[in-house]
Amino acid sequence: MAVNYEKLVENLVVPLVVHPEDVEVKKLSEDEDRIVVQVLVHNDDLGRVIGRNGRIANAIRTIAYASASRQHKKITIDIDAF
Amino acid sequence: MAELKRVSFEASTKDEARGVAEERLRIGRRFLRFDFNEKKSMFGFKRHYEVTATVDVDPAEYGQEILERLFRDMEIDAQITREQPSEEELHYNIETDANPVLIGRGGKTLDSIQLYLRNLLNVFVDDRLVVLVDIGGYKAERKRQLEILATKTAKEVAKTGTEARLKPMNAYERRIIHTKLADWRDVFTTSEGEKEERHLVIKPKKR
């Protein structure tokens, strides 16, 4: 079992945005127990992806975190605009 | 199903129209259907379009696809069934071989899946769609437990005349208990505390 976390995150982010061509998801680092994923979106889409009080961003983080926990890993997701 | 979003306007080119629709609806063109009605100006030189852009997504079906893809990405086998008890209500019930992971501590992961899906699907409709997600009957079971807790605690409060403070819960859970005790004669409920600390207090009614 090897979950592709970039794909998992991308598939959650892309449906939310107006500009899918401007979504970029990159793995910044991965070691034994921690993965860091960076998400960049179009400036106009940032609000939608973050949500009120960061609720959508946190939901995406929680979902990814649950997935990673099955492999005894922790995942950090940075979300920002280009 | 709730009313899908649409917008009508005039534009001089089809490409311009797609951009305007995206901006007005805040929905990507890949989710829209365009109807163009070509208009010639009086002298026949300049033409423009009357445009109607309508959401071309079935929210119930799309929600199911999103969930299926999510579990595929997580490499979790899942069966998803959905119900539409009313025009503006969508329920997804999920059975997997990894229910505890997907529910999370205190239902946190389940709440996140529901919040994500609810936000996503509500982008497409004018009215509010109520989207509920349950995994392995977790919510039904949790509701049953909360109702037992409510009844037991309320009896205690009625007997002793002392108020009882429950553990912090989310709005949905507080509401279950509040509703359960709403028509009790000798106790009433209030919520106290802020955010993560918000909890119910069951109090005796003065007689």
Side-chain angles (χ1 to χ4, degrees), chain B:
Chain B
M1 186 51 67
E3 201 72 23
L4 295 169
K5 278 186 190 162
R6 72 161 63 207
V7 65
S8 297
F9 53 92
E10 292 188 359
S12 42
T13 68
K14 291 187 176 180
D15 203 48
E16 180 199 322
R18 294 192 177 95
V20 171
E22 281 186 337
E23 212 169 287
R24 295 248 190 113
L25 294 171
R26 296 292 308 141
I27 296 174
R29 60 188 68 184
R30 65 200 191 280
F31 296 123
L32 301 173
R33 188 186 68 235
F34 291 89
D35 295 304
F36 296 104
N37 183 11
E38 192 174 338
K39 291 277 180 192
K40 289 236 164 58
S41 77
M42 217 184 299
F43 308 106
F45 294 125
K46 232 180 118 196
R47 51 177 198 185
H48 70 279
Y49 297 97
E50 286 177 358
V51 187
T52 301
T54 315
V55 169
D56 194 19
V57 175
D58 173 358
E61 183 60 38
Y62 188 60
Q64 177 125 7
E65 282 168 28
I66 291 288
L67 287 175
E68 280 168 0
R69 188 173 64 182
L70 171 64
F71 298 131
R72 223 168 27 241
D73 286 345
M74 292 174 93
E75 306 205 340
I76 291 173
D77 278 323
Q79 271 75 49
I80 303 166
T81 51
R82 70 169 192 262
E83 293 160 51
Q84 270 170 260
S86 75
E87 283 286 292
E88 58 284 328
E89 246 182 299
L90 267 177
H91 295 186
Y92 295 93
N93 294 301
I94 302 160
E95 277 299 339
T96 75
D97 54 2
N99 285 351
V101 174
L102 291 175
I103 292 165
R105 185 180 299 179
K108 193 179 172 209
T109 309
L110 171 57
D111 287 343
S112 292
I113 295 171
Q114 176 174 285
L115 181 134
Y116 170 83
L117 199 66
R118 180 178 289 180
N119 271 278
L120 174 63
L121 299 183
N122 269 292
V123 165
F124 300 120
V125 295
D126 266 329
D127 324 305
R128 194 110 195 103
L129 257 182
V130 177
V131 179
L132 296 178
V133 179
D134 200 0
I135 297 173
Y138 172 81
K139 281 192 184 157
E141 175 59 20
R142 178 84 179 132
K143 179 166 187 261
R144 202 181 65 84
Q145 286 173 1
L146 288 171
E147 287 179 344
I148 292 171
L149 173 73
T151 310
K152 216 177 95 192
T153 314
K155 277 183 185 156
E156 214 36 53
V157 170
K159 203 171 104 189
T160 61
T162 354
E163 63 179 43
R165 205 163 287 273
L166 301 179
K167 279 196 287 190
M169 292 170 192
N170 65 33
Y172 174 77
E173 297 183 333
R174 294 196 306 271
R175 197 193 152 118
I176 288 172
I177 296 180
H178 179 79
T179 308
K180 179 74 185 170
L181 299 178
D183 52 4
W184 276 52
R185 261 183 310 149
D186 29 15
V187 300
F188 68 101
T189 57
T190 55
S191 286
E192 294 179 7
E194 294 298 320
K195 298 204 168 145
E196 299 295 299
E197 291 303 308
R198 199 146 172 87
H199 58 275
L200 273 182
V201 185
I202 304 177
K203 295 179 175 174
K205 274 188 191 162
K206 303 266 186 297
R207 269 174 284 181

Side-chain angles (χ1 to χ4, degrees), chain A residues 8-58:
Chain A
L8 174 82
V9 172
E10 183 169 343
N11 281 340
L12 288 172
V13 170
V14 164
L16 295 166
V17 304
V18 176
H19 305 289
E21 67 282 4
D22 290 339
V23 173
E24 200 180 294
V25 181
K26 266 198 317 218
K27 184 152 66 185
L28 291 186
S29 69
E30 174 167 13
D31 57 32
E32 290 278 286
D33 46 27
R34 177 154 229 113
I35 305 161
V36 180
V37 171
Q38 182 191 46
V39 180
L40 291 175
V41 299
H42 192 289
N43 200 36
D44 295 348
D45 286 323
L46 189 61
R48 173 78 54 79
V49 175
I50 302 276
R52 188 156 40 90
N53 299 324
R55 277 161 28 120
I56 299 180
N58 285 337

